[in-house]
Amino acid sequence: MSKAFQKDTQAQKNLNLIAKLESDNETKVFEGMTTLVGMMSQGYEVLEFFPSVVKLVASPNLKIKKLVYIYLDQHAELNPDLALLSVSTFQKDFQNREQLIRALSLRVLSSIRVPSISQIILLLAQQAVNDSSPYVRKTAALAIPKVYGLNKDHEENLIELISALLKDKHPMVIGGALAAFNQVCPDKFELLDEHFRKICSLLVDCDEWGQIIAIKTLLRYSRTQFVDPRLFDSSEESDHMKSGGDETNFFSTDSEEEKPEEAEEKESKKPKYKMDPDHKLLLSSTIPLLKSRNSAVVAEVCNLHFYLAPRSELRVIAKALIKLTKREAPVQYVALSTISTISKKFPKLFSSNYKEFFVLQPEPLYIKTLKLSILTQLVGLANVYALTKELRAYVKSENIQFVICAIQSMGQIASHMKEVRDTCLTILMNLISHKSQKVAGESIVSIKKLLQQNVDEHMDVMKHLTKMIDIVVEPSARSSILWLVGEYCHKIPLIAPDVLRKLAKTFRNETNIVKLQVLNLGSKLYLRNKKQTEKLFEYILTLSKYDTNYDVRDRARFIRLLLVNPKSKLDNAKLEKIFLSEKPLPLWNDNDETSEFVLGTLSNILKIRLSGYQELPKFPEVAPVNETRKNSTYGVKKKEASKRKSKKHRKRQKQLAKESPFFEDEKFWEESGSGSGSYSGTGSYSGSGSFSGSYSGSGSYSGSGSYSGSGSYSGSGSYSGSGSYSGSGSASHSATRKNVEKNPKSGSAHNSGSGSYSGSGSYSGSGSFSGSYSGSGSYSGSGSYSGSGSYSGPGSYSGSEQKQSNQVNSEKENSKNNLLDLSGLDMFGSNTNTNNNTSSQISSLDFTSNSNYQQNSVKVEFPMKTLVEKSREGGVDISYRISRTPSLHPGYTPIRLYIKNKNRNPVKNLKIAEPVPDNIISFQPISNLNPDQSYQTILYINFNSKTQPISFQIKSESELTNCRITPTTGELLIKPLSFDENEFDNEVSKLSGMSALKQQLQSIESLKPQEIKEKIIEIANVCQINSKEEKLKFVGKTGSSDMVYIIIDSNTLSIHSTNQFMIHLISKDIKNALKN
């Protein structure tokens, strides 16, 4: 009764609604249409109201008309006959002043699926293309594919409309125009030539739907217009991206690796490549869209860069895809599918972010399995131990299917990484006794595949598996055990016949897959141990003859004719070749089918080729000449205007700089007085009195100017520059700037003060100087030199003065000594003519005054290495050495470059080629380098705690050269600023197991502790800790903030760190150093 009552109630409501729609009162009609549209939004079936709504098309009320068109837009296609009655009204409404009414009338008319009105729709679309409203023009673009679906004879007219719409400059129209292009003429790329740059420029302003359509279209267009940029990538960069830096390529084989000679030969044959400006424009225009809130837009941008960008520029898409994995499950699955496909080709992109793919408990199973697949692709030496530890936790899950997937991943990792194979075998052996037979069976299957790689080392494992044949029930596990016994029956001659005997008893009750393996085992034992197994094997063949499965019967018949048949003409040698041939190593399921489909398509997600799937066009071998696109003037005037404006701005700034001195009142310098502070500028200093503070600049204290006078210089600041300091007297008297000699070679003065002097000039005088001196000049005089700093540089130090050590007489001085002395660090590069081949001895800096540190007094001589030979860089030699000076950029290692121009012509604009890699901080470009001129500068590189070579390019106006810098393991470490023994011991106690390594050192009894200390500090950038025990303790830190603790106790070496890869490399270097 209740259901009938509900039906009557709903029918009554519908009648009341129809009454409202057919009422003469506009208020009731409006209420009825509002209710109807509300029912549509909630998913109710409202087709029965169509006749009543169609009558309202001619309503003069604008609000009612909008609601009517919204309804008809959804239902006109379902009832075209009634909709045809209102065609004349639609045509009339197209002339309405309201843009929404004009657009809705065209949209509803194009939704009527009747071929006879296609001509009317085409005429209205032609008018709408020239409409003043961009919304109406967009509606015209969306109507074009509908007209094409009704009547393909209008194709030429529709292409003309598409061409007109592509000329539109409004972002709202571009998306609809490109959608029509893809539906009507997807291969007529010549229509896009003229508008390519405009579309790229309008991408950011388009709506999200239009951005997706535009990116897909531009991707297909670019694949036909530009050459593949990855064909011109250097082989080093290609290998680096594929192999994941220093990590072992998970899916590579030895046969795939090229020899260095072959790689260099191939590299030399590659032509030089310069990316098309339009290609660059497309890539740069889409990068801002990676921050879009729409996941589909971000995914499409990543797909475009994956197919069009050079390998070196693919890093920009990694972070964007990882962010997508934090969203809802459907978006997460699509993002992970894309990452899975990309990581198979370029695992380096995601190898440093492998922790982002660790499985979370609330995630659904399909997300978990996909993450496991990605983790197996990212495995390498740097993360294999962490991944093994994570998988050990996964196999304890209560979800049986997830545990099976984790076991498969563990087997894949163990099969490719020897370092964890034993650990994985131990974990898998423990899972054999799992309460779930499926888990136990999958463990045995994985163990079987691992044993095939080296069965001799794991014979005890195989013997243990044969004992499990009576316990294991899972068919796949039983068949795997039987296969192992048959394959290696000659290694267990006493066990294999007994296994066959047991299986003969239960043969009738076994599954088909097990029966087939029993037949294989019997045939192999028949050939190797015929005397003991002949009767047993014939019994099994007889049972198989009457088996219900035809596969088992056919296999038994085949084996009987070959082995047992007396008429067989095959000898034992041929039979052994058939049954006992060596088997290839097993293949794991890599799901390679995902790479067959284009990213972002449904076929790639489902791994099935669906109807409507389109392959991407292939890159042309030679880029076609496209004068239409290159001659496009879109945005040219705007760029030229901005260039002119910027030139005027720079010119005005230079003029202002000349007119206005650093201090507006120049008379300030001619007045007498005294003051304290700092001076920075291009002028000179003269006057009476004294100046206390610091001076830096290109003027008289620093640069090409000079300071002369009878005053005195005192202060705690610093003096730096390439000029000289000269004067006499110690009191403050007047001085003048007039008749100043430029760049004097020497000078004399009587001064006292504390600070530092840095420059290429000279310092001479009879006074004393307290501080540090760094430069290529000389220091001479009859005074004394004392200070807490250091003297370093290729210059000279001479005179009758005395060197005095630093003496701390107060707590104030003691606190000052805690600061880093960076006076000798060249931060911006220096132009010098010194000999670059002289080896400099660099004293390790004292990082802190903490008494728990021992100051490293070991002088380390760094070898000079060649970066660029003159034959390869047009006459420019570039050498480098790794510096242990404190880095201005945390995590980056300073590399000092020595550049000399051996060419007859000047070299201009020498710099790191764009784009500069993310892990490199470039030096300032060298605008001009004259013949035989030398230059020193510093390059900062973040090696990311890896010894993999860092590749980059150095270019000038005439040359572009590939360069690579390979660090040693010890130079990847950074000295921590402070560390005491208690903290050291506390941190070491926390690191055990895989985070610790202990080894015995041989032949070090003859070495003194001081010698051991010197050797360790030479190979590693570490600091020694003062220890109360008779142990040598050292500490260092990697660029990724992983601490490394080294302890040498007697002849035992202990290294503790969370970075297992660094542990093994450091231990190897220390052992080699202490042997020599």
Side-chain angles (χ1 to χ4, degrees):
M1 292 293 293
S2 60
K3 292 183 178 179
F5 179 76
Q6 290 178 1
K7 289 182 179 180
D8 293 341
T9 305
Q10 186 64 36
Q12 186 63 37
K13 287 183 180 180
N14 292 345
L15 290 175
N16 294 337
L17 183 57
I18 292 174
K20 286 184 178 182
L21 294 174
E22 295 180 353
S23 174
D24 295 334
N25 190 334
E26 288 187 352
T27 304
K28 290 185 178 180
V29 173
F30 181 73
E31 290 179 359
M33 285 303 305
T34 305
T35 304
L36 188 60
V37 173
M39 294 172 63
M40 287 172 51
S41 64
Q42 296 178 15
Y44 287 101
E45 181 60 47
V46 292
L47 188 60
E48 60 180 299
F49 303 101
F50 193 89
S52 300
V53 176
V54 170
K55 299 176 184 178
L56 300 174
V57 172
S59 174
N61 191 307
L62 189 60
K63 294 181 180 179
I64 296 176
K65 189 181 288 289
K66 290 179 180 179
L67 295 174
V68 169
Y69 275 121
I70 291 173
Y71 175 87
L72 294 178
D73 184 31
Q74 299 293 326
H75 297 89
E77 187 176 352
L78 301 175
N79 202 338
D81 295 334
L82 283 176
L84 281 174
L85 299 176
S86 304
V87 168
S88 59
T89 306
F90 298 148
Q91 290 179 274
K92 181 180 178 181
D93 285 342
F94 189 73
Q95 307 301 326
N96 197 292
R97 294 178 60 185
E98 184 68 30
Q99 63 173 350
L100 182 61
I101 298 298
R102 297 199 303 271
L104 287 174
S105 63
L106 178 58
R107 180 179 295 177
V108 173
L109 190 60
S110 62
S111 299
I112 302 175
R113 310 293 294 171
V114 178
S116 58
I117 65 170
S118 62
Q119 186 64 37
I120 299 175
I121 303 174
L122 178 61
L123 292 174
L124 292 181
Q126 289 173 342
Q127 297 179 37
V129 166
N130 299 318
D131 196 278
S132 59
S133 170
Y135 182 72
V136 178
R137 299 199 298 272
K138 177 183 178 181
T139 306
L142 298 178
I144 290 175
K146 299 179 181 179
V147 178
Y148 184 74
L150 293 176
N151 191 346
K152 289 183 170 54
D153 294 337
H154 299 309
E155 182 178 359
E156 293 184 2
N157 294 328
L158 295 176
I159 291 176
E160 293 179 2
L161 293 181
I162 293 173
S163 179
L165 289 169
L166 288 173
K167 296 178 182 178
D168 202 301
K169 297 182 180 180
H170 201 283
M172 185 184 295
V173 184
I174 292 298
L178 292 175
F181 171 84
N182 289 333
Q183 293 290 330
V184 179
C185 50
D187 297 326
K188 286 186 173 294
F189 292 120
E190 60 272 11
L191 295 177
L192 302 178
D193 291 339
E194 183 182 354
H195 314 293
F196 176 83
R197 296 177 180 176
K198 178 186 68 178
I199 297 172
C200 292
S201 302
L202 296 178
L203 264 180
V204 179
D205 300 322
C206 290
D207 58 279
E208 295 170 346
W209 174 81
Q211 289 172 346
I212 296 171
I213 298 295
I215 292 172
K216 287 183 176 180
T217 307
L218 292 176
L219 171 59
R220 295 176 55 250
Y221 173 83
S222 301
R223 295 275 292 194
T224 63
Q225 300 297 314
F226 309 125
V227 295
D228 187 358
R230 295 172 194 169
L231 295 177
F232 304 91
D233 285 340
S234 64
S235 58
E236 297 171 3
E237 182 181 355
S238 175
D239 295 341
H240 182 66
M241 290 294 293
K242 288 184 178 180
S243 63
D246 59 285
E247 301 170 6
T248 304
N249 190 355
F250 191 81
F251 296 100
S252 68
T253 59
D254 294 339
S255 60
E256 294 174 354
E257 298 179 359
E258 290 184 333
K259 296 180 179 179
E261 297 80 3
E262 297 177 356
E264 289 184 6
E265 183 179 355
K266 185 181 292 186
E267 184 71 22
S268 62
K269 292 181 180 180
K270 285 184 179 180
K272 291 186 177 180
Y273 170 69
K274 185 177 182 181
M275 184 179 289
D276 192 291
D278 290 331
H279 194 168
K280 286 184 179 179
L281 174 64
L282 174 59
L283 296 177
S284 60
S285 300
T286 54
I287 287 178
L289 299 182
L290 290 173
K291 299 180 180 179
S292 174
R293 62 182 179 180
N294 190 304
S295 304
V297 175
V298 177
E300 286 300 331
V301 174
C302 293
N303 297 342
L304 181 139
H305 279 259
F306 175 70
Y307 289 112
L308 293 181
R311 290 187 178 93
S312 58
E313 299 181 13
L314 287 178
R315 303 178 191 277
V316 295
I317 69 175
K319 291 184 179 180
L321 286 173
I322 290 174
K323 287 182 180 179
L324 291 183
T325 61
K326 309 300 181 183
R327 300 191 181 182
E328 56 272 16
V331 176
Q332 186 180 10
Y333 183 77
V334 174
L336 289 173
S337 298
T338 303
I339 292 173
S340 178
T341 303
I342 295 176
S343 61
K344 286 180 181 177
K345 196 170 185 181
F346 306 116
K348 174 62 178 176
L349 285 179
F350 304 97
S351 59
S352 59
N353 304 103
Y354 68 93
K355 291 184 180 179
E356 300 290 343
F357 305 105
F358 282 177
V359 173
L360 303 179
Q361 185 62 31
E363 291 176 337
L365 181 61
Y366 62 90
I367 295 292
K368 292 180 179 179
T369 54
L370 196 50
K371 281 189 171 183
L372 284 175
S373 175
I374 295 173
L375 287 174
T376 57
Q377 296 164 15
L378 303 182
V379 67
L381 290 175
N383 57 22
V384 63
Y385 296 101
L387 290 181
T388 305
K389 185 178 180 180
E390 188 73 10
L391 290 174
R392 186 198 296 267
Y394 294 163
V395 296
K396 298 177 183 179
S397 173
E398 295 181 358
N399 190 324
I400 300 302
Q401 192 61 39
F402 175 60
V403 173
I404 292 174
C405 295
I407 291 172
Q408 293 173 351
S409 298
M410 185 177 292
Q412 292 185 49
I413 292 176
S415 66
H416 291 83
M417 306 298 294
K418 298 179 181 179
E419 292 78 6
V420 295
R421 189 170 297 165
D422 293 340
T423 304
C424 292
L425 271 175
T426 304
I427 298 173
L428 294 174
M429 288 296 294
N430 294 332
L431 290 175
I432 294 178
S433 57
H434 197 276
K435 60 182 179 180
S436 173
Q437 286 295 325
K438 291 184 178 180
V439 173
E442 189 63 37
S443 302
I444 293 175
V445 172
S446 298
I447 291 172
K448 169 236 177 183
K449 293 181 179 180
L450 293 177
L451 289 181
Q452 281 186 254
Q453 298 183 345
N454 196 346
V455 69
D456 293 330
E457 292 184 2
H458 305 285
M459 286 302 299
D460 54 339
V461 176
M462 192 171 71
K463 291 177 182 179
H464 181 74
L465 288 179
T466 58
K467 297 177 183 179
M468 303 293 295
I469 196 67
D470 296 330
I471 303 173
V472 178
V473 179
E474 186 68 22
S476 61
R478 292 177 66 84
S479 61
S480 296
I481 294 175
L482 292 175
W483 187 91
L484 278 175
V485 174
E487 184 69 16
Y488 304 107
C489 59
H490 58 288
K491 296 181 181 292
I492 48 174
L494 300 179
I495 299 176
D498 192 56
V499 173
L500 183 64
R501 178 186 60 80
K502 291 181 179 180
L503 269 296
K505 293 180 181 180
T506 60
F507 187 83
R508 293 179 180 179
N509 301 324
E510 299 290 350
T511 59
N512 295 330
I513 188 174
V514 176
K515 289 179 180 178
L516 294 175
Q517 289 301 329
V518 172
L519 289 172
N520 288 340
L521 173 60
S523 60
K524 293 175 181 178
L525 286 174
Y526 183 81
L527 291 172
R528 293 188 181 275
N529 193 358
K530 183 176 181 181
K531 182 178 179 181
Q532 192 174 357
T533 59
E534 181 178 7
K535 297 295 182 182
L536 190 59
F537 182 52
E538 289 181 358
Y539 170 73
I540 294 174
L541 290 176
T542 304
L543 293 176
S544 303
K545 182 178 179 181
Y546 302 101
D547 196 86
T548 57
N549 184 268
Y550 63 87
D551 285 334
V552 177
R553 295 196 304 269
D554 291 347
R555 179 69 63 85
R557 187 180 300 112
F558 171 75
I559 293 174
R560 183 185 293 274
L561 290 174
L562 288 178
L563 298 179
V564 185
N565 185 15
K567 297 181 181 180
S568 177
K569 298 181 180 180
L570 297 176
D571 54 11
N572 286 339
K574 294 181 179 180
L575 290 173
E576 289 179 359
K577 191 174 183 180
I578 295 174
F579 289 97
L580 303 178
S581 59
E582 186 177 353
K583 306 299 187 298
L585 294 178
L587 298 177
W588 298 83
N589 295 326
D590 295 335
N591 295 325
D592 287 333
E593 64 271 15
T594 56
S595 60
E596 297 178 0
F597 305 108
V598 179
L599 290 180
T601 61
L602 187 59
S603 298
N604 184 57
I605 302 299
L606 301 179
K607 282 78 177 179
I608 302 174
R609 183 178 291 271
L610 302 175
S611 60
Y613 171 78
Q614 289 184 341
E615 291 282 357
L616 281 178
K618 294 183 178 180
F619 280 109
E621 295 183 0
V622 180
V625 179
N626 196 324
E627 296 295 338
T628 305
R629 187 182 71 247
K630 292 182 178 180
N631 295 332
S632 175
T633 57
Y634 182 83
V636 171
K637 294 182 179 180
K638 185 177 180 181
K639 290 181 179 179
E640 290 179 351
S642 63
K643 286 182 179 179
R644 288 195 296 269
K645 185 177 179 181
S646 62
K647 287 181 180 179
K648 289 182 179 179
H649 179 72
R650 289 195 297 268
K651 187 176 181 181
R652 178 60 180 164
Q653 291 294 326
K654 290 181 180 179
Q655 185 177 359
L656 290 174
K658 291 180 179 179
E659 293 174 357
S660 303
F662 186 85
F663 291 99
E664 294 182 357
D665 190 3
E666 293 189 11
K667 294 181 179 180
F668 171 83
W669 300 105
E670 297 179 355
E671 297 175 354
S672 63
S674 63
S676 63
S678 61
Y679 171 78
S680 173
T682 59
S684 59
Y685 175 82
S686 65
S688 62
S690 62
F691 183 81
S692 173
S694 61
Y695 174 91
S696 63
S698 59
S700 35
Y701 270 49
S702 170
S704 58
S706 62
Y707 173 83
S708 63
S710 59
S712 63
Y713 173 85
S714 64
S716 58
S718 60
Y719 174 90
S720 61
S722 58
S724 63
Y725 176 88
S726 62
S728 63
S730 59
S732 60
H733 9 301
S734 61
T736 179
R737 290 188 302 157
K738 299 178 181 179
N739 300 324
V740 176
E741 182 182 354
K742 294 184 178 180
N743 294 330
K745 296 296 181 179
S746 63
S748 62
H750 179 80
N751 314 282
S752 63
S754 62
S756 61
Y757 172 86
S758 172
S760 59
S762 61
Y763 177 86
S764 62
S766 59
S768 63
F769 184 81
S770 173
S772 61
Y773 172 84
S774 173
S776 59
S778 61
Y779 175 86
S780 62
S782 59
S784 61
Y785 173 84
S786 65
S788 58
S790 61
Y791 171 85
S792 62
S796 61
Y797 178 91
S798 62
S800 60
E801 65 277 14
Q802 298 176 353
K803 294 184 181 179
Q804 299 179 7
S805 61
N806 177 33
Q807 296 179 357
V808 180
N809 296 321
S810 65
E811 293 183 0
K812 184 176 181 180
E813 289 178 324
N814 189 23
S815 63
K816 289 180 181 180
N817 290 335
N818 289 337
L819 300 177
L820 290 174
D821 183 9
L822 300 179
S823 60
L825 178 60
D826 183 7
M827 302 178 186
F828 306 105
S830 58
N831 196 351
T832 178
N833 290 321
T834 58
N835 185 6
N836 291 333
N837 293 327
T838 58
S839 61
S840 63
Q841 291 184 339
I842 303 172
S843 299
S844 300
L845 295 177
D846 187 6
F847 277 72
T848 177
S849 63
N850 192 332
S851 61
N852 291 287
Y853 265 125
Q854 279 194 12
Q855 183 176 0
N856 295 342
S857 59
V858 181
K859 294 184 178 181
V860 183
E861 182 176 355
F862 298 92
M864 186 85 73
K865 297 182 181 180
T866 300
L867 184 63
V868 177
E869 296 180 358
K870 62 180 182 179
S871 59
R872 298 182 58 187
E873 187 56 24
V876 175
D877 273 350
I878 303 179
S879 303
Y880 75 96
R881 58 161 53 99
I882 298 177
S883 175
R884 285 191 181 178
T885 55
S887 176
L888 299 179
H889 307 278
Y892 286 77
T893 302
I895 310 294
R896 182 171 289 275
L897 301 181
Y898 299 84
I899 307 170
K900 186 169 184 178
N901 183 10
K902 294 187 177 180
N903 197 4
R904 297 180 179 177
N905 302 319
V907 175
K908 298 184 180 295
N909 197 20
L910 190 69
K911 61 180 181 179
I912 303 294
E914 298 287 345
V916 180
D918 296 338
N919 56 350
I920 291 180
I921 298 178
S922 177
F923 56 85
Q924 292 294 329
I926 304 173
S927 59
N928 185 54
L929 196 64
N930 294 322
D932 293 329
Q933 186 178 3
S934 300
Y935 190 90
Q936 295 184 24
T937 186
I938 293 182
L939 179 71
Y940 294 90
I941 298 180
N942 183 3
F943 293 104
N944 198 20
S945 303
K946 298 176 181 177
T947 56
Q948 181 71 18
I950 299 298
S951 299
F952 57 95
Q953 293 179 316
I954 292 182
K955 65 174 296 186
S956 61
E957 289 185 351
S958 58
E959 293 292 336
L960 178 67
T961 304
N962 293 323
C963 304
R964 57 186 294 177
I965 292 179
T966 305
T968 57
T969 305
E971 299 308 324
L972 297 177
L973 298 176
I974 304 170
K975 298 176 185 176
L977 289 179
S978 64
F979 223 91
D980 57 26
E981 187 177 15
N982 293 332
E983 186 179 359
F984 182 97
D985 295 337
N986 185 32
E987 294 297 329
V988 168
S989 63
K990 298 177 183 178
L991 299 172
S992 59
M994 290 190 295
S995 299
L997 176 67
K998 287 190 177 181
Q999 292 182 342
Q1000 296 296 320
L1001 299 174
Q1002 299 177 356
S1003 304
I1004 68 167
E1005 292 81 8
S1006 59
L1007 296 177
K1008 298 179 180 179
Q1010 181 64 20
E1011 294 177 344
I1012 297 176
K1013 169 188 171 182
E1014 291 176 356
K1015 288 181 177 291
I1016 290 180
I1017 293 178
E1018 282 179 3
I1019 65 168
N1021 191 13
V1022 294
C1023 277
Q1024 185 184 5
I1025 303 294
N1026 268 342
S1027 176
K1028 299 176 183 178
E1029 306 170 355
E1030 294 184 358
K1031 297 180 181 179
L1032 293 176
K1033 297 181 179 180
F1034 304 88
V1035 63
K1037 183 174 66 173
T1038 66
S1040 55
S1041 298
D1042 294 325
M1043 302 302 295
V1044 179
Y1045 307 94
I1046 304 173
I1047 303 173
I1048 297 182
D1049 183 10
S1050 182
N1051 62 343
T1052 302
L1053 169 65
S1054 302
I1055 303 179
H1056 303 259
S1057 176
T1058 55
N1059 191 330
Q1060 291 89 357
F1061 181 63
M1062 184 62 68
I1063 289 177
H1064 289 83
L1065 292 180
I1066 290 291
S1067 64
K1068 183 179 179 181
D1069 290 349
I1070 291 177
K1071 289 172 65 178
N1072 292 336
L1074 296 179
K1075 284 181 181 178
N1076 301 328

